[in-house]
Amino acid sequence: MDLGTTILIVMLVLLVLGFPMMVPLTMASVVAFTFYMPIDPKILIQQMVTGISPVALIAVPMFIFAADIVTKGHTANRLIDLAMTFVGHVRGGLAVTTALGCTLFGAVSGSTQATVVAMGGPLRPKMLKAGYKDSFAMALIINASDIAFLIPPSIGMIVFGVVGKVSIGELFLAGIGPGILILLMFSAYCVYYAKKNNIPTIPRMSWAERGKAVINAGPAIMFPVLIVGGIYLGWVSPTEVAAVSVVYAIILEVLIFKSVKWSEMLEIARSTGLITAVVFILVGAGTTFSFVISFAQIPQHVIGALGLEGANSYLILAAICIAFFIGCMFVDPIVVILVLTPIFMPLVRDAGLDPVLVGTLVTLQVAIGSATPPFGCDIFTAIAIFRRPYYEVIRGTPPFIFMLLLAAVILVFVPQIALFLPTMAFR
């Protein structure tokens, strides 16, 4: 039995037995090093350490820490109030507020699951009270949270940048255009849905009320301004802006909003530590696994089997989108990025494709897959938060998944949507 078949069987057996993904990744590498690779097994440990050594990964725990702080605080509610005062009076305004709120909070947290938790809690009851179907409300919250994976700070983009050796600063800026495009598409659908189902509107807010909402949410809005502005102007690197985001999150929630106490910071830090440990174990295991598949020349075999050698750029981008989308329907997004990126990046560079565009498409596909049945991770977060059965949670998702896939197609044919800002800032 060849190496590729063996590691595939090992991974499938361990996954079926219910082991977390870090175990199949690690054990597949151990089996490969033990029985197939004429290399000192110490190299396995060296590869794991190398995987978590890049300086850029320091940004991951800091962005997670900042996201944990603002999720526990009042940022989400203030952003909701801000969006509601400006668009709440239009037909479908509450649904548009939900999409806009998820986008704004995503720009603060960078996490789809944190956005589902922070936005789903207050907004779903309001949407149900306003007359929206529960299936629509849950699907909107789950899929609008995908924008958080595109709008900086995005942990998925950090991992892709490290694995694919692509500028994280450029990736951060490249996610803004597609994120806005998806927000506009979702908002248009929300207006259509509200008109079709005769959802009532609320009175228009006065400019005084809007001004008050802007003042209340102003410090929260400065969060993405600091991140994007700092990177765009070249004042800070993505790693440095992660440190700034932690400091600003503490100032925001502890000193300004006073929604988080100093005594709670230890518990928040502990939660961040646990999540970071899982992420870094996955990154280390994924790096070792990537070394194994490169040694076995699996990327060349896969590309050859798919007939992608010498293929045109559109076919290559389509193959990448399909592979990442399907992968994230079944497996954690970070694992999919770690496993598939080393397979496709040599082909991307040989074809002369822009790696920043590819990274943006990968991040978008990962986000879509995270909210797509059968095993998208955001679905199970929603089940836990909303306490509704699986079928009810996914019933309203098809229109949103279609729009997300349409956004990916548009991005393939109009790449400047993603590349405009990186080109202005870095090229």
Side-chain angles (χ1 to χ4, degrees):
M1 191 181 299
D2 63 26
L3 173 56
T5 304
T6 301
I7 61 178
L8 179 61
I9 291 174
V10 169
M11 293 183 69
L12 289 175
V13 169
L14 291 174
L15 284 172
V16 170
L17 291 175
F19 286 93
M21 193 64 203
M22 64 188 73
V23 176
L25 278 175
T26 304
M27 288 307 300
S29 301
V30 170
V31 169
F33 270 86
T34 304
F35 297 105
Y36 288 91
M37 300 172 68
I39 300 175
D40 189 335
K42 292 178 183 177
I43 301 296
L44 186 149
I45 305 299
Q46 291 177 0
Q47 286 296 316
M48 294 191 75
V49 174
T50 299
I52 60 174
S53 296
V55 174
L57 285 177
I58 296 174
V60 172
M62 288 190 284
F63 279 132
I64 293 173
F65 191 28
D68 284 347
I69 294 170
V70 297
T71 300
K72 191 173 182 63
H74 288 171
T75 296
N77 287 328
R78 289 172 184 260
L79 292 175
I80 291 170
D81 291 342
L82 175 64
M84 198 67 185
T85 57
F86 281 92
V87 300
H89 63 280
V90 303
R91 183 73 70 179
L94 182 56
V96 175
T97 295
T98 301
L100 181 56
C102 288
T103 302
L104 293 174
F105 190 79
V108 173
S109 70
S111 167
T112 59
Q113 291 167 295
T115 305
V116 171
V117 173
M119 293 289 131
L123 282 170
R124 176 170 165 259
K126 291 182 180 180
M127 292 186 70
L128 295 180
K129 187 176 180 181
Y132 291 92
K133 292 180 180 178
D134 199 11
S135 58
F136 173 85
M138 290 188 290
L140 174 61
I141 292 166
I142 294 169
N143 287 278
S145 296
D146 288 347
I147 303 173
F149 222 63
L150 285 167
I151 300 288
S154 166
I155 292 172
M157 284 184 167
I158 294 173
V159 175
F160 178 86
V162 170
V163 177
K165 296 179 174 57
V166 182
S167 166
I168 295 172
E170 290 191 48
L171 287 169
F172 274 5
L173 294 182
I176 296 173
I180 294 173
L181 172 64
I182 294 168
L183 171 62
L184 294 174
M185 294 171 72
F186 281 9
S187 298
Y189 179 67
C190 289
V191 173
Y192 164 78
Y193 178 93
K195 289 182 177 179
K196 180 181 177 182
N197 293 275
N198 199 29
I199 304 295
T201 60
I202 64 172
R204 182 191 296 266
M205 297 289 184
S206 67
W207 282 106
E209 292 172 309
R210 291 174 178 177
K212 183 178 178 181
V214 170
I215 293 171
N216 287 338
I221 292 295
M222 284 301 298
F223 218 118
V225 172
L226 284 173
I227 294 171
V228 176
I231 294 173
Y232 184 85
L233 295 173
W235 293 344
V236 288
S237 69
T239 303
E240 292 167 340
V241 86
V244 172
S245 72
V246 172
V247 174
Y248 192 72
I250 293 172
I251 293 172
L252 196 68
E253 300 294 354
V254 177
L255 301 179
I256 298 178
F257 296 159
K258 300 186 185 300
S259 56
V260 176
K261 299 178 181 178
W262 284 111
S263 58
E264 297 175 294
M265 294 300 294
L266 180 61
E267 184 60 34
I268 296 173
R270 185 180 294 115
S271 172
T272 298
L274 290 172
I275 298 172
T276 302
V278 173
V279 172
F280 274 43
I281 291 171
L282 284 172
V283 171
T287 302
T288 307
F289 185 77
S290 299
F291 180 83
V292 170
I293 64 176
S294 296
F295 180 87
Q297 295 189 322
I298 290 176
Q300 291 87 333
H301 295 318
V302 170
I303 290 168
L306 294 175
L308 296 176
E309 193 69 46
N312 67 62
S313 59
Y314 293 117
L315 183 59
I316 294 171
L317 291 175
I320 291 172
C321 289
I322 292 170
F324 279 88
F325 172 65
I326 293 176
C328 285
M329 290 168 61
F330 299 93
V331 183
D332 183 89
I334 291 177
V335 175
V336 175
I337 293 173
L338 290 169
V339 172
L340 293 184
T341 300
I343 292 176
F344 285 105
M345 284 309 290
L347 179 63
V348 167
R349 292 194 167 93
D350 289 344
L353 293 169
D354 193 315
V356 174
L357 173 63
V358 173
T360 308
L361 282 167
V362 165
T363 306
L364 175 55
Q365 295 305 317
V366 165
I368 300 170
S370 300
T372 303
F375 302 120
C377 60
D378 288 348
I379 294 172
F380 295 97
T381 301
I383 290 172
I385 297 300
F386 301 144
R387 298 185 180 181
R388 304 304 303 164
Y390 179 88
Y391 174 71
E392 287 188 24
V393 171
I394 68 169
R395 186 168 56 185
T397 57
F400 295 100
I401 294 172
F402 172 78
M403 284 184 282
L404 289 165
L405 293 174
L406 178 60
V409 173
I410 294 172
L411 192 57
V412 168
F413 289 99
V414 192
Q416 283 305 311
I417 294 174
L419 298 179
F420 175 74
L421 286 177
T423 300
M424 291 282 291
F426 295 103
R427 303 180 184 181

